[in-house]
Amino acid sequence: MNQNIRTVLFARGALLCVAAIWGSSLVVVKNTANSLPPLFLLAMRFTLACAVLCAASFRKLKVVNRDYLKSGAVIGLCLFSAYGIQTIGVLSAMPGKSAFLSSVYCVIVPFLFWAVEKRQPDRYNILAAVLCILGIGLASVTEDFSISKGDSLALLSGFFFAAHIVSVAKFGKGKDPFIITILQFGYSAAFSWLLSLALEHEAIQWSQGALWGGLYLSIVCTGAALLLQNIGQKYTDPSSASIILSLESVFGILFSAIFYHEALNLRLVTGFALIFTAVLISETKLSFIRHIRGKRHAENET
């Protein structure tokens, strides 16, 4: 096996680890939030992640100016909103279902870009949106056409995850991505601390499980996952990277079924399948199918 193949396999393995780590995060959040208030948990998570990144690249922070601070504030607000709503929502929903519903951000992004940058969605984005709506209907809407609080918050968090991606593209343009990451974590930590101190008055129940859960979310799910993602995407084509990272929702339902015995029925599975298909179409525009067809056509000609 030559060096290039090994590098590609390592990169894809790194991305698969990222998908698995992110898929496990909501299970850990739900378990840890039983002891720690959700906003306090977020504050702890973003503070530790920001501190680790600052320690790793302290010298880079010398270039931070007012423009960086403004951009970091907007991006950080979107990131805090997404994670805050998702964390609160998973308290009243199963982690696997929440992971799938939050993943709709992949489908929402092109339409937010349309609103912000006037970049019109293509036919793949529209097809993905239709499939995603059908999937959400099957997975969340009840017979009396209502939707639970946990599912509603998971979907709302998906909107803010999409807003975060759009804000990074718009306000992070031309800036050092490492510094932007540090700033958005710092602002997210600040927003979390402010709201936690203002709204959460219940006693914090420290336990070994809560401590390890907080450290796992801070160091593994935030810091290590970000590093692995950067390494993996550097040596993986965008289409393959999108497919691998979209497995986050699959890992989410898998971990939830194992650790929370989340029950699945045909309607839920069908809804999840439609949402997952929508994510794949939106992220890859089915380029992997065209690649396979083109390869087969070339082989037939030879």
Side-chain angles (χ1 to χ4, degrees), residues 37-240:
L39 292 173
F40 177 85
L41 178 60
L42 273 183
M44 176 181 173
R45 177 176 182 175
F46 284 121
T47 300
L48 288 176
C50 182
V52 170
L53 289 180
C54 282
S57 57
F58 182 78
R59 293 181 180 179
K60 285 190 175 185
L61 295 176
K62 294 178 180 179
V63 304
V64 173
N65 53 26
R66 183 176 295 180
D67 186 35
Y68 263 104
L69 292 174
K70 288 181 179 179
S71 298
V74 174
I75 297 171
L77 179 60
C78 292
L79 184 67
F80 162 74
S81 300
Y83 274 102
I85 292 169
Q86 184 189 54
T87 301
I88 294 171
V90 80
L91 298 180
S92 53
M94 293 304 287
K97 190 176 184 182
S98 182
F100 257 100
L101 294 178
S102 299
S103 70
V104 302
Y105 72 86
C106 299
V107 179
I108 297 173
V109 165
F111 295 92
L112 278 184
F113 263 118
W114 187 15
V116 174
E117 298 287 349
K118 309 303 178 186
R119 188 184 306 173
Q120 190 170 353
D122 57 32
R123 57 180 179 173
Y124 296 105
N125 300 137
I126 295 172
L127 174 60
V130 172
L131 290 176
C132 190
I133 291 171
L134 291 174
I136 290 169
L138 286 172
S140 297
V141 178
T142 61
E143 294 179 357
D144 61 351
F145 296 100
S146 64
I147 185 170
S148 70
K149 176 185 175 182
D151 290 356
S152 298
L153 290 175
L155 290 170
L156 184 59
S157 74
F159 172 83
F160 279 103
F161 278 119
H164 172 253
I165 292 173
V166 173
S167 66
V168 169
K170 183 173 179 63
F171 295 99
K173 188 180 299 182
K175 295 180 175 64
D176 188 317
F178 214 90
I179 296 176
I180 285 294
T181 301
I182 291 174
L183 289 175
Q184 63 180 300
F185 284 173
Y187 277 110
S188 295
F191 295 139
S192 299
W193 283 118
L194 287 173
L195 286 180
S196 178
L197 292 172
L199 302 176
E200 295 176 334
H201 304 296
E202 61 267 37
I204 297 173
Q205 301 174 12
W206 284 108
S207 66
Q208 187 174 6
L211 178 60
W212 283 113
L215 291 174
Y216 178 79
L217 291 170
S218 304
I219 298 172
V220 179
C221 294
T222 308
L226 177 68
L227 177 61
L228 288 173
Q229 183 187 8
N230 289 336
I231 294 172
Q233 288 192 241
K234 183 176 181 180
Y235 300 103
T236 307
D237 63 276
S239 177
S240 297

